mmCIF file of all heavy atoms in Angstrom:
data_model
loop_
_atom_site.group_PDB
_atom_site.id
_atom_site.type_symbol
_atom_site.label_atom_id
_atom_site.label_comp_id
_atom_site.label_asym_id
_atom_site.label_seq_id
_atom_site.Cartn_x
_atom_site.Cartn_y
_atom_site.Cartn_z
ATOM 1 N N LYS A 1 0.838 -1.139 -0.014
ATOM 2 C CA LYS A 1 -0.019 0.008 0.020
ATOM 3 C C LYS A 1 0.818 1.233 -0.002
ATOM 4 O O LYS A 1 2.069 1.187 0.396
ATOM 5 C CB LYS A 1 -0.893 0.036 1.248
ATOM 6 C CG LYS A 1 -1.719 -1.239 1.423
ATOM 7 C CD LYS A 1 -2.438 -1.134 2.772
ATOM 8 C CE LYS A 1 -3.287 -2.416 3.032
ATOM 9 N NZ LYS A 1 -3.983 -2.323 4.341
ATOM 10 N N ALA A 2 0.242 2.326 -0.365
ATOM 11 C CA ALA A 2 1.019 3.648 -0.362
ATOM 12 C C ALA A 2 1.574 3.879 0.985
ATOM 13 O O ALA A 2 2.705 4.437 1.100
ATOM 14 C CB ALA A 2 0.143 4.764 -0.833
ATOM 15 N N GLU A 3 0.862 3.566 2.056
ATOM 16 C CA GLU A 3 1.348 3.858 3.373
ATOM 17 C C GLU A 3 2.520 2.991 3.830
ATOM 18 O O GLU A 3 3.102 3.208 4.888
ATOM 19 C CB GLU A 3 0.224 3.792 4.424
ATOM 20 C CG GLU A 3 -0.500 2.435 4.399
ATOM 21 C CD GLU A 3 -1.807 2.559 3.567
ATOM 22 O OE1 GLU A 3 -1.856 3.161 2.527
ATOM 23 O OE2 GLU A 3 -2.878 2.012 4.005
ATOM 24 N N ASP A 4 2.933 2.054 3.016
ATOM 25 C CA ASP A 4 4.080 1.264 3.263
ATOM 26 C C ASP A 4 5.360 1.948 2.834
ATOM 27 O O ASP A 4 6.455 1.451 3.069
ATOM 28 C CB ASP A 4 4.024 -0.185 2.616
ATOM 29 C CG ASP A 4 2.895 -0.989 3.094
ATOM 30 O OD1 ASP A 4 2.725 -1.010 4.361
ATOM 31 O OD2 ASP A 4 2.192 -1.639 2.359
ATOM 32 N N THR A 5 5.223 3.054 2.117
ATOM 33 C CA THR A 5 6.354 3.797 1.667
ATOM 34 C C THR A 5 7.175 4.241 2.846
ATOM 35 O O THR A 5 6.697 4.985 3.710
ATOM 36 C CB THR A 5 5.979 5.023 0.837
ATOM 37 O OG1 THR A 5 5.298 4.568 -0.327
ATOM 38 C CG2 THR A 5 7.152 5.835 0.404
ATOM 39 N N ALA A 6 8.437 3.870 2.907
ATOM 40 C CA ALA A 6 9.341 4.167 4.069
ATOM 41 C C ALA A 6 10.758 3.633 3.730
ATOM 42 O O ALA A 6 10.928 2.968 2.763
ATOM 43 C CB ALA A 6 8.784 3.523 5.296
ATOM 44 N N MET A 7 11.617 4.068 4.592
ATOM 45 C CA MET A 7 12.936 3.514 4.632
ATOM 46 C C MET A 7 12.881 2.268 5.527
ATOM 47 O O MET A 7 12.402 2.368 6.664
ATOM 48 C CB MET A 7 14.025 4.460 5.125
ATOM 49 C CG MET A 7 15.440 3.935 5.015
ATOM 50 S SD MET A 7 16.056 3.897 3.359
ATOM 51 C CE MET A 7 16.317 5.589 3.028
ATOM 52 N N TYR A 8 13.365 1.179 5.071
ATOM 53 C CA TYR A 8 13.220 -0.102 5.868
ATOM 54 C C TYR A 8 14.607 -0.537 6.376
ATOM 55 O O TYR A 8 15.596 -0.525 5.614
ATOM 56 C CB TYR A 8 12.635 -1.249 4.984
ATOM 57 C CG TYR A 8 11.166 -1.086 4.868
ATOM 58 C CD1 TYR A 8 10.644 -0.117 3.981
ATOM 59 C CD2 TYR A 8 10.261 -1.966 5.438
ATOM 60 C CE1 TYR A 8 9.264 0.012 3.841
ATOM 61 C CE2 TYR A 8 8.935 -1.865 5.339
ATOM 62 C CZ TYR A 8 8.483 -0.870 4.515
ATOM 63 O OH TYR A 8 7.054 -0.714 4.328
ATOM 64 N N TYR A 9 14.675 -0.900 7.584
ATOM 65 C CA TYR A 9 15.956 -1.274 8.240
ATOM 66 C C TYR A 9 15.790 -2.632 8.916
ATOM 67 O O TYR A 9 14.709 -3.002 9.451
ATOM 68 C CB TYR A 9 16.271 -0.218 9.436
ATOM 69 C CG TYR A 9 16.411 1.098 8.902
ATOM 70 C CD1 TYR A 9 15.268 2.032 8.876
ATOM 71 C CD2 TYR A 9 17.644 1.661 8.530
ATOM 72 C CE1 TYR A 9 15.430 3.330 8.466
ATOM 73 C CE2 TYR A 9 17.766 3.076 8.173
ATOM 74 C CZ TYR A 9 16.744 3.865 8.132
ATOM 75 O OH TYR A 9 16.813 5.124 7.764
ATOM 76 N N CYS A 10 16.821 -3.385 8.872
ATOM 77 C CA CYS A 10 16.921 -4.634 9.757
ATOM 78 C C CYS A 10 17.781 -4.333 10.924
ATOM 79 O O CYS A 10 18.628 -3.386 10.890
ATOM 80 C CB CYS A 10 17.292 -5.838 9.007
ATOM 81 S SG CYS A 10 19.050 -5.775 8.371
ATOM 82 N N ALA A 11 17.524 -5.051 11.965
ATOM 83 C CA ALA A 11 18.292 -4.829 13.158
ATOM 84 C C ALA A 11 18.551 -6.158 13.837
ATOM 85 O O ALA A 11 17.850 -7.169 13.737
ATOM 86 C CB ALA A 11 17.448 -4.044 14.208
ATOM 87 N N ALA A 12 19.706 -6.195 14.623
ATOM 88 C CA ALA A 12 20.159 -7.421 15.302
ATOM 89 C C ALA A 12 20.858 -7.041 16.558
ATOM 90 O O ALA A 12 20.976 -5.891 16.887
ATOM 91 C CB ALA A 12 21.037 -8.248 14.333
ATOM 92 N N ARG A 13 21.366 -8.064 17.266
ATOM 93 C CA ARG A 13 22.096 -7.870 18.523
ATOM 94 C C ARG A 13 23.407 -8.529 18.413
ATOM 95 O O ARG A 13 23.549 -9.610 17.865
ATOM 96 C CB ARG A 13 21.274 -8.479 19.671
ATOM 97 C CG ARG A 13 19.915 -7.934 19.944
ATOM 98 C CD ARG A 13 19.088 -8.768 20.818
ATOM 99 N NE ARG A 13 17.808 -8.155 21.260
ATOM 100 C CZ ARG A 13 16.702 -8.205 20.614
ATOM 101 N NH1 ARG A 13 16.646 -8.822 19.393
ATOM 102 N NH2 ARG A 13 15.657 -7.586 21.085
ATOM 103 N N ARG A 14 24.421 -7.922 18.939
ATOM 104 C CA ARG A 14 25.681 -8.536 19.074
ATOM 105 C C ARG A 14 25.622 -9.654 20.143
ATOM 106 O O ARG A 14 26.343 -10.616 20.022
ATOM 107 C CB ARG A 14 26.778 -7.547 19.483
ATOM 108 C CG ARG A 14 27.090 -6.534 18.403
ATOM 109 C CD ARG A 14 28.259 -5.651 18.745
ATOM 110 N NE ARG A 14 28.689 -4.819 17.739
ATOM 111 C CZ ARG A 14 28.243 -3.539 17.483
ATOM 112 N NH1 ARG A 14 27.319 -3.049 18.316
ATOM 113 N NH2 ARG A 14 28.708 -2.823 16.450
ATOM 114 N N SER A 15 24.812 -9.416 21.103
ATOM 115 C CA SER A 15 24.581 -10.455 22.174
ATOM 116 C C SER A 15 23.738 -11.605 21.666
ATOM 117 O O SER A 15 22.785 -11.408 20.881
ATOM 118 C CB SER A 15 23.936 -9.824 23.308
ATOM 119 O OG SER A 15 23.526 -10.789 24.306
ATOM 120 N N PRO A 16 24.020 -12.826 22.097
ATOM 121 C CA PRO A 16 23.072 -13.949 21.827
ATOM 122 C C PRO A 16 21.828 -13.971 22.665
ATOM 123 O O PRO A 16 20.943 -14.818 22.448
ATOM 124 C CB PRO A 16 23.934 -15.176 22.118
ATOM 125 C CG PRO A 16 24.854 -14.675 23.205
ATOM 126 C CD PRO A 16 25.189 -13.290 22.911
ATOM 127 N N PHE A 17 21.745 -13.041 23.581
ATOM 128 C CA PHE A 17 20.544 -12.979 24.444
ATOM 129 C C PHE A 17 19.547 -12.077 23.883
ATOM 130 O O PHE A 17 19.815 -10.780 23.731
ATOM 131 C CB PHE A 17 21.047 -12.541 25.819
ATOM 132 C CG PHE A 17 21.921 -13.526 26.483
ATOM 133 C CD1 PHE A 17 23.298 -13.201 26.601
ATOM 134 C CD2 PHE A 17 21.543 -14.674 26.968
ATOM 135 C CE1 PHE A 17 24.211 -14.094 27.124
ATOM 136 C CE2 PHE A 17 22.412 -15.656 27.489
ATOM 137 C CZ PHE A 17 23.766 -15.292 27.640
ATOM 138 N N CYS A 18 18.328 -12.485 23.675
ATOM 139 C CA CYS A 18 17.318 -11.803 23.111
ATOM 140 C C CYS A 18 16.689 -10.683 23.966
ATOM 141 O O CYS A 18 15.938 -9.889 23.515
ATOM 142 C CB CYS A 18 16.155 -12.610 22.579
ATOM 143 S SG CYS A 18 16.717 -13.750 21.251
ATOM 144 N N GLY A 19 17.041 -10.737 25.299
ATOM 145 C CA GLY A 19 16.476 -9.689 26.202
ATOM 146 C C GLY A 19 17.229 -8.362 26.033
ATOM 147 O O GLY A 19 16.780 -7.430 26.578
ATOM 148 N N THR A 20 18.362 -8.334 25.298
ATOM 149 C CA THR A 20 19.085 -7.114 25.108
ATOM 150 C C THR A 20 18.486 -6.268 23.999
ATOM 151 O O THR A 20 17.640 -6.752 23.212
ATOM 152 C CB THR A 20 20.546 -7.389 24.834
ATOM 153 O OG1 THR A 20 20.637 -8.123 23.614
ATOM 154 C CG2 THR A 20 21.224 -8.170 25.962
ATOM 155 N N GLN A 21 18.828 -5.021 23.960
ATOM 156 C CA GLN A 21 18.363 -4.173 22.930
ATOM 157 C C GLN A 21 19.096 -4.366 21.564
ATOM 158 O O GLN A 21 20.223 -4.869 21.523
ATOM 159 C CB GLN A 21 18.631 -2.675 23.358
ATOM 160 C CG GLN A 21 17.860 -2.253 24.616
ATOM 161 C CD GLN A 21 16.453 -2.258 24.421
ATOM 162 O OE1 GLN A 21 15.879 -1.754 23.421
ATOM 163 N NE2 GLN A 21 15.697 -2.827 25.367
ATOM 164 N N TYR A 22 18.363 -4.044 20.534
ATOM 165 C CA TYR A 22 19.035 -3.977 19.280
ATOM 166 C C TYR A 22 20.173 -3.053 19.242
ATOM 167 O O TYR A 22 20.005 -1.900 19.689
ATOM 168 C CB TYR A 22 18.059 -3.611 18.124
ATOM 169 C CG TYR A 22 16.960 -4.582 17.859
ATOM 170 C CD1 TYR A 22 15.624 -4.315 18.091
ATOM 171 C CD2 TYR A 22 17.251 -5.846 17.297
ATOM 172 C CE1 TYR A 22 14.609 -5.208 17.772
ATOM 173 C CE2 TYR A 22 16.297 -6.720 16.932
ATOM 174 C CZ TYR A 22 14.949 -6.450 17.207
ATOM 175 O OH TYR A 22 13.945 -7.382 16.843
ATOM 176 N N ASN A 23 21.280 -3.493 18.701
ATOM 177 C CA ASN A 23 22.427 -2.568 18.685
ATOM 178 C C ASN A 23 23.288 -2.669 17.382
ATOM 179 O O ASN A 23 24.357 -2.139 17.268
ATOM 180 C CB ASN A 23 23.384 -2.755 19.909
ATOM 181 C CG ASN A 23 23.919 -4.124 20.058
ATOM 182 O OD1 ASN A 23 23.719 -5.071 19.147
ATOM 183 N ND2 ASN A 23 24.523 -4.354 21.227
ATOM 184 N N VAL A 24 22.711 -3.399 16.392
ATOM 185 C CA VAL A 24 23.360 -3.448 15.090
ATOM 186 C C VAL A 24 22.215 -3.097 14.092
ATOM 187 O O VAL A 24 21.121 -3.812 14.040
ATOM 188 C CB VAL A 24 23.920 -4.770 14.788
ATOM 189 C CG1 VAL A 24 24.612 -4.775 13.386
ATOM 190 C CG2 VAL A 24 24.901 -5.181 15.861
ATOM 191 N N TRP A 25 22.507 -2.160 13.276
ATOM 192 C CA TRP A 25 21.538 -1.676 12.334
ATOM 193 C C TRP A 25 22.035 -1.657 10.885
ATOM 194 O O TRP A 25 23.275 -1.308 10.664
ATOM 195 C CB TRP A 25 20.974 -0.256 12.667
ATOM 196 C CG TRP A 25 20.219 -0.251 13.995
ATOM 197 C CD1 TRP A 25 20.816 -0.158 15.276
ATOM 198 C CD2 TRP A 25 18.856 -0.339 14.213
ATOM 199 N NE1 TRP A 25 19.847 -0.147 16.180
ATOM 200 C CE2 TRP A 25 18.611 -0.263 15.570
ATOM 201 C CE3 TRP A 25 17.771 -0.349 13.308
ATOM 202 C CZ2 TRP A 25 17.350 -0.348 16.100
ATOM 203 C CZ3 TRP A 25 16.467 -0.430 13.818
ATOM 204 C CH2 TRP A 25 16.287 -0.367 15.205
#
């Protein structure tokens, strides 16, 4: 849809623990 227009980013963590914040973009 038109409202999907955006810049898209993926994100990950250096840590193997999913409770941490995203810190790789």
Side-chain angles (χ1 to χ4, degrees):
K1 306 174 180 179
E3 53 261 43
D4 295 319
T5 296
M7 186 73 74
Y8 284 72
Y9 302 88
C10 64
R13 300 165 170 87
R14 291 187 175 90
S15 172
F17 300 105
C18 294
T20 61
Q21 297 295 313
Y22 289 114
N23 58 9
V24 184
W25 296 83

